[in-house]
Amino acid sequence: MFISPAQQMRTVPSLSIPGRQFEIGRLHSAWELCQGGRGGVVTLHGPVGVGRTELLDAFSEFADADGAQVLMAAGSPLERDFPLGIVRQLFQSPHLAPEIVDKAARLIENGVAAGPTPHWSSPEGGEGGSRVRPTPQVLHGLSTLLLDFARETPLLLAVDDRQDADIQSLEFLLYLARRIRNARVLTVLCSRENMTPQEPFFDVDLAGQPHHERIRLSLFGPEVIADLMSARLGEETARRHAGAVHELTGGNPLLVRAVVDDQEPGPARTDLVVGENYRRGVMHCLHRIDAFALRVARGVAALGRPADPALLAELLLLTNDSPPRALYLLHAAGLFRDGSFRHPSGAGDLLAAMRPAELAALHRRAADLLRTAGASAELIAEQVRAAEGQVRAPWAADGAPPSAANSEVPQVAGSAGELRPPDPVIQCVPWLPESGPDATGPSPRRQRTSLRHLFWHGQVDEGFVALQRYEAQYPGDLAARSRLRDWVRYWYPTLLPPTGPGPDPELGIPDGESPSGGTRATPPDGMRVLTALLGGLPARDAVTQAEQVLRESRLGETPVRSLTAALTALLYADQADRAARWCAAVTNRPGHGQDATHDALLAALTAEAALRQGDVRTAEEYARAAFQQIDPDRWGVGVGFPLATMIAARTALDRHEDAARYLAMPVPGAMLRTPAGLHYRYARAGHHLAVGDAEAALVDYQECGEAMARWGLDHLPGLVPWRIGAARAQLALGRPGAARALTDRQLRDLGPGRPRILGMTLRTRAAAAESAERTPLLERAVQALEISGDQFELSAALGELSAAHGALGDPAQARTAERRARHLSRVSGTAPERPGDDELSEAERRVAELAACGLTNREIGQKLFITVSTVEQHLTKVYRKLGVRRRMELSHLLEIRRGLAG
């Protein structure tokens, strides 16, 4: 809409807010156009604390006094998943006629259905899957109600915190926006700037409407601040301190008013008080600005000075593009200046709100990063002193990460299934990510959630007591009790009596039967499959059942723990390729992305599946994403999973100092009593072995084996193949006989259907064998690893096979294996992509691509106008350069090369 400069700059006497004359003028002009029959949409946006709500409320009161019907609503993160929540608020106005309210209520209740996601909610602009959407009837019916009403009375729709609105209401607002250009309807939307907009393409679509206007509320300048201070504190105080207040607040209206409130009225003071109101205002802004921006602010506060964004990303486990965007928001809101807090109280208050153990870990990690970056000894010592000044972590006796010296004390069950309480562990109780304070209540479901919360955060003693209390209170709730016991039995294998692949013996009810003896419809449960696999269910059967769970599950209906347990069962059954495919399938289902806990667990499992397929870069990326969704301290004992994957990935990439920093992060001591602790120990052992500390590695590997034996899990090398690691440590210590004994035992107990473990074992056995035995063992290892899909292990096996062929005087075979190893190391992300003698010429590339598409040699010759003999010569060179043997391999390898090329 066109608004003259004179209209924009005029002050409306009946609507006046200090410092907002320009914005008020534009709103007033839009309202005059609306009264004349030209509707529009105005978006008020800006940083946190800028006064959007104040302006919207004032304008709504003005419009109401001017004869308009004002319908108001506000978004909330808690109601983002409530379909048409904003629309419901708009139609709940007490001033609307009862018949309109009733019609709207009927339309809303019957007006949502599953349908394709709107194009503007998908970053690619395509169909984003299926989700609950308002039907065409409800969109048309609701908009007709408003448009008919606006023929009699001008209408203002005022929506605050639009960034937290549900997607169905946004779709309605867009539908209405396209139809109000010639109606007396004005829609004003307020939105706060943030890093991660929920529906960014809503703004793109809205910006395309010719009657849409975007107004950004700016921070106050010194002149406006002087006017505000003069009205409250007098002209002399305003003249003396307006500049200092601007420096202190950046012109953020909320902070400016807070500083003014901190000053005592009366004679002009020579000093400016920075008091409780200002400090509370800073905390208010920081906790509303954006979750990632808050984390970056904590990182800057811990460092005590501005920091390079790359350093902040590494310190806070964020992607490299997150800190620059977070710093923009912090500066735009007036909270930061030149990369740090405008006043030190902001940093101090932010750190004071952190748990001491978490803060100590942050300072230790900062010290390590600064040391690696070559910072001065003074800066490093400052961080070390800050870490030492914090209270010790509640889960560690000496404030340091657990080691072999503080491994778990296993708990046992008494006779007849009697539970014996474990020793007390820790006393910290942060909230489980998928629950909250309201999860503790009288209902059985809430009691189970609270109980899981205790175990999740290592409070085993309290959890045990709660479990006994729950089972005594609800003895007939057999199905829920069985699922709960499966969950506890997985996380703490020695706490409950062991069970085999069948139902829980304590419950006494076979699967599929009811207490009365009839058949019951038991829904598939992933945790039941996982515990059955741990109890001895054959891996092939576990895979079948886990995939059944995943096929029949629905996001939002199936518990997250059932899905993740089914995926974990696939990993432990040595089916990482299947696990990766199912992780992707679950991630792409409608409803994904609405729960941080679910997203974090899926990211961690995707990372581990990628690591077991040798895709190290992807593993690192998803492990980092798991920590982005949930802070490390909120992962509880489960932190061992993504932490182990990250440590293993950094070790595979030869980034050993990075791996050591992750190992320095504090973890709950109770974690070592869980499968997550096994993963953590195994990754720690791999790091020790990579940096030349084979003795420490062997200790960790052996402790993994001892724990698995105590827990009755030694039949499941897919959990952690500790014997392979121990054999490699023995080789590093010059003990090939001990290595052979370990690998021979692994081969004897392995059983069918575990190609990755088989390949790793054969590769390690070859390293302990005499020269003449190595080549056939490595060839068998390569065949098994090709089936498994582990590119990293396959690359290493091919490299060793190349050396074995060379030692036997077969240079041609050695070159072939070495070329394949180089290619696979680039595919796995453990070696850089660089040109060399194995690069294809343009003619060879064209022939290779056509062959990969399935064309015969004659068809290729006809297409490229060359002879069949020339085609054969080119293919011979292609096979030699790429180290492949047949066209199927050629097709796969060229696809990978195209992916690497971007």
Side-chain angles (χ1 to χ4, degrees):
M1 69 181 67
F2 174 78
I3 304 172
S4 69
Q7 286 178 310
Q8 292 180 357
M9 296 304 296
R10 69 191 177 101
T11 301
V12 180
S14 58
L15 176 57
S16 180
I17 298 176
R20 294 295 176 224
Q21 290 83 0
F22 175 74
E23 294 86 351
I24 289 173
R26 296 173 70 177
L27 282 171
H28 198 276
S29 298
W31 179 242
E32 288 182 343
L33 291 173
C34 173
Q35 289 178 310
R38 292 180 58 188
V41 182
V42 176
T43 298
L44 301 175
H45 77 110
V48 64
V50 79
R52 300 176 314 279
T53 301
E54 178 189 27
L55 179 56
L56 181 65
D57 289 346
F59 180 66
S60 298
E61 292 180 7
F62 163 80
D64 182 69
D66 201 31
Q69 171 63 64
V70 180
L71 307 183
M72 304 186 71
S76 168
L78 298 177
E79 298 184 18
R80 194 179 292 142
D81 298 330
F82 183 36
L84 295 175
I86 293 292
V87 176
R88 294 171 196 265
Q89 293 182 52
L90 292 173
F91 279 96
Q92 287 172 352
S93 170
H95 303 298
L96 286 175
E99 58 271 18
I100 294 179
V101 175
D102 292 342
K103 287 181 181 178
R106 287 195 298 271
L107 284 166
I108 291 171
E109 292 305 319
N110 301 317
V112 292
T117 302
H119 71 89
W120 46 265
S121 71
S122 172
E124 281 71 36
E127 295 288 314
S130 177
R131 77 190 320 169
V132 174
R133 294 189 60 189
T135 64
Q137 292 78 15
V138 75
L139 293 174
H140 174 74
L142 292 173
S143 61
T144 299
L145 287 175
L146 295 180
L147 293 173
D148 288 346
F149 184 89
R151 292 191 178 97
E152 303 296 330
T153 305
L155 188 60
L156 171 65
L157 306 183
V159 179
D160 199 9
D161 285 327
R162 194 278 303 162
Q163 76 280 347
D164 293 323
D166 62 281
I167 187 173
Q168 294 82 8
S169 292
L170 294 180
E171 189 168 359
F172 168 74
L173 291 172
L174 275 180
Y175 184 92
L176 181 65
R178 301 186 190 100
R179 289 158 177 80
I180 62 174
R181 192 173 183 183
N182 297 311
R184 294 197 298 172
V185 179
L186 177 63
T187 301
V188 181
L189 309 172
C190 283
S191 61
R192 183 179 68 249
E193 291 180 344
N194 54 27
M195 288 176 57
T196 52
Q198 294 295 318
E199 306 294 346
F201 286 80
F202 172 84
D203 293 319
V204 174
D205 200 309
L206 192 61
Q209 305 300 321
H211 50 295
H212 170 255
E213 183 178 10
R214 189 174 178 86
I215 303 175
R216 187 179 192 277
L217 276 65
S218 58
L219 303 180
F220 287 163
E223 298 82 4
V224 176
I225 294 174
D227 290 341
L228 287 170
M229 295 185 68
S230 178
R232 288 279 305 277
L233 304 173
E235 292 185 4
E236 178 61 23
T237 300
R239 181 188 62 79
R240 181 175 297 173
H241 295 303
V245 172
H246 185 262
E247 287 294 310
L248 180 65
T249 65
N252 183 298
L254 185 150
L255 298 182
V256 170
R257 293 187 173 94
V259 173
V260 171
D261 290 341
D262 280 330
Q263 313 311 309
E264 294 183 5
R269 297 172 56 98
T270 57
D271 58 333
L272 185 69
V273 176
V274 179
E276 186 64 26
N277 290 305
Y278 171 78
R279 296 171 63 179
R280 189 181 297 113
V282 170
M283 289 301 102
H284 173 84
C285 290
L286 285 171
H287 284 87
R288 292 193 67 226
I289 186 170
D290 186 277
F292 288 129
L294 176 61
R295 287 176 67 175
V296 169
R298 286 195 182 114
V300 173
L303 292 169
R305 53 185 45 82
D308 179 73
L311 177 65
L312 286 170
E314 191 67 24
L315 175 66
L316 303 167
L317 304 177
L318 295 172
T319 55
N320 288 334
D321 64 333
S322 293
R325 292 185 291 144
L327 289 169
Y328 162 76
L329 289 182
L330 292 164
H331 284 82
L335 300 168
F336 270 34
R337 179 183 58 216
D338 299 330
S340 190
F341 289 86
R342 288 181 174 269
H343 191 272
S345 66
D349 290 342
L350 196 57
L351 296 181
M354 296 177 65
R355 291 192 304 152
E358 179 186 6
L359 183 53
L362 191 63
H363 282 304
R364 285 196 295 268
R365 184 168 172 78
D368 289 340
L369 289 170
L370 290 170
R371 188 179 294 111
T372 302
S376 67
E378 180 181 356
L379 290 180
I380 298 169
E382 180 182 306
Q383 292 296 320
V384 173
R385 286 193 299 271
E388 292 173 348
Q390 301 301 318
V391 178
R392 291 175 177 178
W395 50 70
D398 57 357
S403 63
N406 60 352
S407 58
E408 83 288 353
V409 178
Q411 305 302 315
V412 297
S415 60
E418 177 187 5
L419 299 177
R420 291 170 55 185
D423 295 331
V425 280
I426 64 171
Q427 297 298 324
C428 63
V429 194
W431 285 108
L432 185 65
E434 64 180 344
S435 67
D438 63 346
T440 57
S443 71
R445 180 178 180 182
R446 287 188 173 182
Q447 289 192 41
R448 292 193 299 271
T449 300
S450 178
L451 191 154
R452 288 189 177 97
H453 159 80
L454 293 171
F455 283 116
W456 178 260
H457 287 288
Q459 292 188 283
V460 186
D461 189 26
E462 293 86 342
F464 173 82
V465 173
L467 177 62
Q468 286 186 313
R469 184 169 56 245
Y470 170 82
E471 292 187 342
Q473 187 174 359
Y474 300 102
D477 197 355
L478 297 175
R481 176 177 167 178
S482 177
R483 289 192 295 270
L484 182 59
R485 279 176 161 258
D486 283 340
W487 186 88
V488 174
R489 186 175 285 114
Y490 167 72
W491 281 103
Y492 296 92
T494 60
L495 192 61
L496 297 178
T499 182
D504 191 328
E506 285 205 357
L507 299 181
I509 299 175
D511 286 345
E513 293 184 7
S514 67
S516 61
T519 302
R520 69 178 183 206
T522 303
D525 181 71
M527 188 58 68
R528 170 81 286 206
V529 177
L530 178 56
T531 53
L533 173 65
L534 300 180
L537 180 70
R540 182 175 301 176
D541 295 340
V543 169
T544 300
Q545 294 180 23
E547 291 192 318
Q548 178 189 359
V549 170
L550 294 164
R551 274 193 300 271
E552 298 180 9
S553 65
R554 295 290 185 272
L555 287 182
E557 300 175 7
T558 304
V560 171
R561 57 184 171 273
S562 177
L563 292 173
T564 55
L567 292 167
T568 304
L570 294 178
L571 288 174
Y572 289 174
D574 204 26
Q575 299 294 321
D577 55 340
R578 292 174 183 256
R581 288 197 296 271
W582 277 111
C583 282
V586 173
T587 300
N588 291 327
R589 285 179 181 174
H592 176 73
Q594 299 179 6
D595 183 276
T597 304
H598 181 213
D599 297 349
L601 293 171
L602 269 180
L605 287 164
T606 302
E608 181 63 19
L611 183 69
R612 293 180 181 219
Q613 291 182 295
D615 189 351
V616 181
R617 296 289 184 185
T618 299
E620 181 186 37
E621 175 186 350
Y622 276 91
R624 185 185 291 269
F627 286 124
Q628 287 179 322
Q629 294 290 342
I630 301 177
D631 289 339
D633 66 303
R634 295 182 63 203
W635 267 92
V637 295
V639 73
F641 283 115
L643 201 54
T645 305
M646 183 66 85
I647 292 165
R650 295 294 175 99
T651 300
L653 293 168
D654 291 329
R655 296 170 63 178
H656 302 306
E657 291 183 351
D658 290 349
R661 284 196 291 271
Y662 282 101
L663 282 167
M665 293 175 62
V667 295
M671 182 197 76
L672 295 176
R673 300 171 56 184
T674 71
L678 284 177
H679 290 271
Y680 180 84
R681 271 206 191 98
Y682 187 79
R684 185 170 66 187
H687 166 71
H688 288 322
L689 189 59
V691 298
D693 192 353
E695 289 283 2
L698 183 59
V699 169
D700 267 334
Y701 286 131
Q702 289 174 338
E703 286 186 349
C704 286
E706 291 168 3
M708 291 179 70
R710 287 195 304 270
W711 299 350
L713 302 178
D714 202 23
H715 64 282
L716 201 63
L719 204 163
V720 290
W722 70 271
R723 285 192 177 85
I724 299 173
R728 292 174 179 177
Q730 296 283 18
L731 285 170
L733 292 169
R735 304 167 186 165
R740 285 194 292 270
L742 285 162
T743 52
D744 289 345
R745 169 69 185 276
Q746 186 68 84
L747 289 170
R748 184 171 64 251
D749 296 346
L750 187 58
R754 300 183 185 275
R756 178 173 175 268
I757 304 298
L758 175 61
M760 293 170 65
T761 308
L762 289 169
R763 179 191 158 211
T764 308
R765 181 65 177 82
E770 300 296 333
S771 298
E773 298 178 88
R774 285 178 187 160
T775 301
L777 285 170
L778 286 169
E779 287 177 340
R780 289 175 58 199
V782 166
Q783 291 173 357
L785 291 169
E786 283 177 333
I787 295 171
S788 77
D790 189 331
Q791 305 295 322
F792 180 78
E793 282 286 336
L794 178 57
S795 172
L798 284 166
E800 292 162 9
L801 180 59
S802 173
H805 280 307
L808 294 176
D810 192 348
Q813 292 283 7
R815 283 196 299 271
T816 298
E818 194 270 338
R819 288 191 182 102
R820 289 193 67 199
R822 286 213 309 268
H823 275 288
L824 288 170
S825 67
R826 290 196 285 268
V827 169
S828 67
T830 57
E833 178 77 4
R834 60 182 183 271
D837 62 354
D838 59 350
E839 291 302 306
L840 303 181
S841 68
E842 183 63 24
E844 291 165 352
R845 183 189 60 77
R846 289 197 299 268
V847 169
E849 289 180 345
L850 292 173
C853 292
L855 274 68
T856 65
N857 290 357
R858 184 174 300 279
E859 291 170 336
I860 294 171
Q862 292 172 349
K863 195 170 187 67
L864 298 180
F865 303 99
I866 57 178
T867 65
V868 174
S869 176
T870 303
V871 172
E872 293 172 349
Q873 293 173 28
H874 283 322
L875 283 177
T876 299
K877 294 178 181 178
V878 167
Y879 287 174
R880 177 178 58 80
K881 287 184 176 183
L882 300 186
V884 298
R885 301 173 183 174
R886 51 189 182 270
R887 294 194 181 203
M888 184 172 66
E889 293 179 53
L890 179 64
S891 175
H892 177 65
L893 189 56
L894 286 177
E895 180 181 350
I896 292 174
R897 289 165 63 88
R898 284 193 292 270
L900 288 171

